[in-house]
Every structure is written in structure tokens, then in C-alpha cells.
């Protein structure tokens, strides 16, 4: 059962985002991007107040670097659509279980260390080249109450 409303075109959009943001991080990396996106839709806090749909989340200004690159605009593939659907269905994985932000430090070839905070929120963990940041309860209590 979906934890956010998602039409077929929303799943396709999310699938394209997963691929464009984290294809090199494997299926788990793409799921983690999906976790962060769905958290942003559900949490209604911090920089994500009023974000209620997948298209709003993806098209939020400055939210995803991948929208500046051609890979996002390619057709979605079945593999990524399945991963997007799993995210929409509420599957959450560490370190993105409650995360609202992720960041890839350094260059693509030479990832750097994770900063201890991002947007003033603490580092919760790393998956391959991406660092994940979870809001404090004070910043966004609601993200911890969505399931």
C-alpha cells in the first residue's frame, strides 16, 4: 500500500530521478534516494513545507542536481520503476530511513569525507559516495511520526 499518492507518471518521474541521482550507487543507493524523496513529501517541515506530491518534491527549486543533466530526461526503465514503487510503498532503509538530505562530497572520481552536518542537520551515515543527513527532532519531529 502506498504511503503517498502516486500516479503512473509520478512513479516514472521518481524512477528517472533515482537513476539520474544514484545509478552508480546500485539498487540500494537508488532506494535511498527514493527514501529521502518520499520523506520530503511526507514530513511537511523544514525546507519541505507544503511539498505534498512527487512532482512538487522533484521540481522543488535547487532540490536535485540531476535535473540539470540529460540522464534524468531519458525514459524510465523497469528496474528503476520497481525501486520507485518500493519507495512509494514505504520501504525505508538506513541511512535514509528518516533523512531529508543527502550529499556527495568531493568529485565523482574522488569522493571526499562527509561533513558532520548539512543544512545544520547531523550526519547519520554514508552509502558508497553519498552522505545522509537526518533532521533533529526539534527541526522536524514529523519525519519520525510518518510510520
Amino acid at each position: 500500500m502506498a504511503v503517498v499518492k502516486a500516479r503512473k507518471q509520478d512513479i516514472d518521474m521518481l524512477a528517472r530521478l533515482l537513476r539520474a541521482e544514484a545509478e552508480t550507487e546500485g539498487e540500494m543507493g537508488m532506494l535511498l534516494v527514493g527514501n529521502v524523496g518520499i520523506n520530503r513529501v511526507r514530513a511537511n517541515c523544514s525546507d519541505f513545507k507544503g511539498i505534498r506530491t512527487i512532482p512538487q518534491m522533484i521540481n522543488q527549486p535547487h532540490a536535485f542536481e540531476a535535473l540539470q543533466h540529460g540522464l534524468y530526461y531519458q525514459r524510465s526503465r523497469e528496474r528503476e520503476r520497481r525501486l520507485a514503487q518500493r519507495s512509494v510503498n514505504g520501504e525505508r532503509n538506513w541511512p535514509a530511513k528518516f533523512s531529508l538530505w543527502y550529499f556527495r562530497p568531493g568529485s565523482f572520481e574522488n569522493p571526499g569525507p562527509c561533513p558532520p552536518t548539512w543544512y545544520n542537520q547531523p550526519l547519520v551515515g554514508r552509502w558508497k559516495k553519498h552522505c545522509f543527513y537526518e533532521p533533529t527532532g526539534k527541526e522536524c519531529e514529523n519525519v519520525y511520526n510518518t510510520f
Side-chain angles (χ1 to χ4, degrees):
M1 173 120 182
V3 296
V4 298
K5 290 182 181 181
R7 304 164 298 171
K8 181 185 181 302
Q9 58 262 42
D10 298 338
I11 297 296
D12 285 342
M13 274 184 88
L14 184 57
R16 293 187 349 249
L17 181 73
L18 302 183
R19 180 179 179 198
E21 286 280 320
E23 182 176 36
T24 62
E25 306 286 292
E27 286 195 6
M28 181 56 72
M30 288 188 280
L31 276 171
L32 296 174
V33 168
N35 290 169
V36 169
I38 298 303
N39 287 345
R40 288 177 179 186
V41 172
R42 299 196 75 212
N44 198 31
C45 64
S46 186
D47 297 331
F48 313 105
K49 287 181 181 166
I51 303 294
R52 308 307 317 145
T53 68
I54 290 171
Q56 287 174 337
M57 177 267 296
I58 291 173
N59 292 309
Q60 184 181 23
H62 313 294
F64 296 102
E65 186 177 317
L67 272 65
Q68 300 171 20
H69 306 290
L71 187 56
Y72 172 76
Y73 298 97
Q74 294 180 9
R75 182 177 297 207
S76 66
R77 300 184 304 192
E78 181 59 32
R79 173 187 180 206
E80 287 83 24
R81 285 192 299 271
R82 283 193 312 268
L83 296 171
Q85 187 65 59
R86 286 168 61 183
S87 295
V88 166
N89 288 348
E91 181 179 328
R92 293 209 266 190
N93 301 280
W94 183 90
K97 188 172 184 178
F98 300 111
S99 294
L100 292 176
W101 300 272
Y102 60 88
F103 169 67
R104 186 182 72 208
S107 67
F108 186 79
E109 300 81 19
N110 187 21
C114 294
T117 60
W118 189 251
Y119 291 98
N120 296 316
Q121 303 308 308
L123 173 70
V124 67
R126 183 178 196 138
W127 175 260
K128 296 188 180 184
K129 296 177 182 176
H130 284 89
C131 309
F132 290 83
Y133 298 85
E134 191 173 289
T136 62
K138 182 178 179 182
E139 175 74 21
C140 187
E141 181 181 351
N142 197 40
V143 78
Y144 300 101
N145 298 324
T146 57
F147 289 102

